[in-house]
Short mmCIF file of all heavy atoms in Angstrom, two decimals:
data_model
loop_
_atom_site.label_atom_id
_atom_site.label_comp_id
_atom_site.label_asym_id
_atom_site.label_seq_id
_atom_site.Cartn_x
_atom_site.Cartn_y
_atom_site.Cartn_z
N SER A 112 6.87 -18.38 6.80
CA SER A 112 6.57 -16.96 6.86
C SER A 112 5.97 -16.61 8.22
O SER A 112 5.22 -17.40 8.80
CB SER A 112 5.59 -16.58 5.75
OG SER A 112 5.16 -15.23 5.91
N ASP A 113 6.31 -15.42 8.72
CA ASP A 113 5.66 -14.94 9.93
C ASP A 113 4.73 -13.77 9.62
O ASP A 113 4.30 -13.05 10.52
CB ASP A 113 6.69 -14.53 10.99
CG ASP A 113 7.67 -13.47 10.49
OD1 ASP A 113 7.52 -13.02 9.34
OD2 ASP A 113 8.59 -13.11 11.25
N GLU A 114 4.42 -13.60 8.34
CA GLU A 114 3.48 -12.58 7.90
C GLU A 114 2.20 -13.24 7.40
O GLU A 114 2.23 -14.32 6.83
CB GLU A 114 4.09 -11.74 6.78
CG GLU A 114 5.34 -10.97 7.19
CD GLU A 114 5.04 -9.87 8.19
OE1 GLU A 114 3.89 -9.37 8.18
OE2 GLU A 114 5.94 -9.52 8.98
N PRO A 115 1.04 -12.60 7.60
CA PRO A 115 -0.21 -13.15 7.09
C PRO A 115 -0.13 -13.36 5.57
O PRO A 115 0.40 -12.52 4.85
CB PRO A 115 -1.25 -12.09 7.46
CG PRO A 115 -0.64 -11.35 8.61
CD PRO A 115 0.84 -11.35 8.35
N ALA A 116 -0.64 -14.49 5.11
CA ALA A 116 -0.58 -14.81 3.69
C ALA A 116 -1.98 -14.93 3.12
O ALA A 116 -2.94 -15.25 3.82
CB ALA A 116 0.16 -16.14 3.50
N ASP A 117 -2.09 -14.62 1.81
CA ASP A 117 -3.36 -14.86 1.12
C ASP A 117 -3.57 -16.37 1.05
O ASP A 117 -2.69 -17.10 0.59
CB ASP A 117 -3.32 -14.27 -0.29
CG ASP A 117 -3.27 -12.74 -0.27
OD1 ASP A 117 -3.77 -12.16 0.71
OD2 ASP A 117 -2.73 -12.15 -1.21
N THR A 118 -4.72 -16.82 1.53
CA THR A 118 -4.97 -18.25 1.63
C THR A 118 -6.34 -18.59 1.03
O THR A 118 -7.32 -17.88 1.28
CB THR A 118 -4.93 -18.71 3.11
OG1 THR A 118 -3.67 -18.38 3.66
CG2 THR A 118 -5.15 -20.21 3.21
N TYR A 119 -6.37 -19.65 0.26
CA TYR A 119 -7.64 -20.19 -0.21
C TYR A 119 -7.85 -21.53 0.48
O TYR A 119 -6.96 -22.39 0.48
CB TYR A 119 -7.66 -20.39 -1.72
CG TYR A 119 -8.92 -21.08 -2.20
CD1 TYR A 119 -10.10 -20.36 -2.34
CD2 TYR A 119 -8.95 -22.45 -2.44
CE1 TYR A 119 -11.27 -20.98 -2.73
CE2 TYR A 119 -10.12 -23.08 -2.84
CZ TYR A 119 -11.27 -22.34 -2.98
OH TYR A 119 -12.44 -22.96 -3.35
N ALA A 120 -9.00 -21.71 1.09
CA ALA A 120 -9.31 -22.95 1.80
C ALA A 120 -10.63 -23.50 1.30
O ALA A 120 -11.59 -22.74 1.10
CB ALA A 120 -9.37 -22.72 3.30
N ARG A 121 -10.68 -24.80 1.10
CA ARG A 121 -11.92 -25.45 0.68
C ARG A 121 -12.99 -25.30 1.74
O ARG A 121 -14.18 -25.16 1.44
CB ARG A 121 -11.65 -26.94 0.40
CG ARG A 121 -12.89 -27.73 -0.02
CD ARG A 121 -12.52 -29.18 -0.31
NE ARG A 121 -11.89 -29.83 0.80
CZ ARG A 121 -12.55 -30.37 1.83
NH1 ARG A 121 -13.86 -30.34 1.87
NH2 ARG A 121 -11.89 -30.96 2.81
N GLU A 122 -12.56 -25.32 3.00
CA GLU A 122 -13.51 -25.23 4.11
C GLU A 122 -12.86 -24.50 5.26
O GLU A 122 -11.71 -24.75 5.61
CB GLU A 122 -13.94 -26.64 4.55
CG GLU A 122 -14.99 -26.66 5.63
CD GLU A 122 -15.40 -28.08 6.00
OE1 GLU A 122 -14.85 -29.03 5.39
OE2 GLU A 122 -16.25 -28.24 6.87
N VAL A 123 -13.57 -23.57 5.86
CA VAL A 123 -13.08 -22.83 7.01
C VAL A 123 -13.80 -23.33 8.25
O VAL A 123 -15.05 -23.36 8.27
CB VAL A 123 -13.30 -21.31 6.85
CG1 VAL A 123 -12.82 -20.56 8.08
CG2 VAL A 123 -12.58 -20.81 5.61
N PRO A 124 -13.08 -23.76 9.29
CA PRO A 124 -13.76 -24.31 10.47
C PRO A 124 -14.54 -23.24 11.23
O PRO A 124 -14.22 -22.05 11.18
CB PRO A 124 -12.60 -24.85 11.32
CG PRO A 124 -11.42 -24.05 10.90
CD PRO A 124 -11.62 -23.78 9.44
N LEU A 125 -15.57 -23.68 11.93
CA LEU A 125 -16.37 -22.77 12.72
C LEU A 125 -15.56 -22.24 13.90
O LEU A 125 -14.68 -22.93 14.43
CB LEU A 125 -17.62 -23.49 13.23
CG LEU A 125 -18.62 -23.96 12.17
CD1 LEU A 125 -19.71 -24.79 12.83
CD2 LEU A 125 -19.21 -22.78 11.41
N PRO A 126 -15.84 -21.02 14.35
CA PRO A 126 -15.15 -20.49 15.53
C PRO A 126 -15.43 -21.37 16.75
O PRO A 126 -16.47 -22.02 16.84
CB PRO A 126 -15.75 -19.09 15.70
CG PRO A 126 -16.32 -18.74 14.37
CD PRO A 126 -16.78 -20.04 13.77
#
Side-chain angles (χ1 to χ4, degrees):
S112 173
D113 57 3
E114 298 292 333
D117 292 333
T118 302
Y119 175 79
R121 179 178 57 83
E122 184 179 0
V123 178
L125 295 174

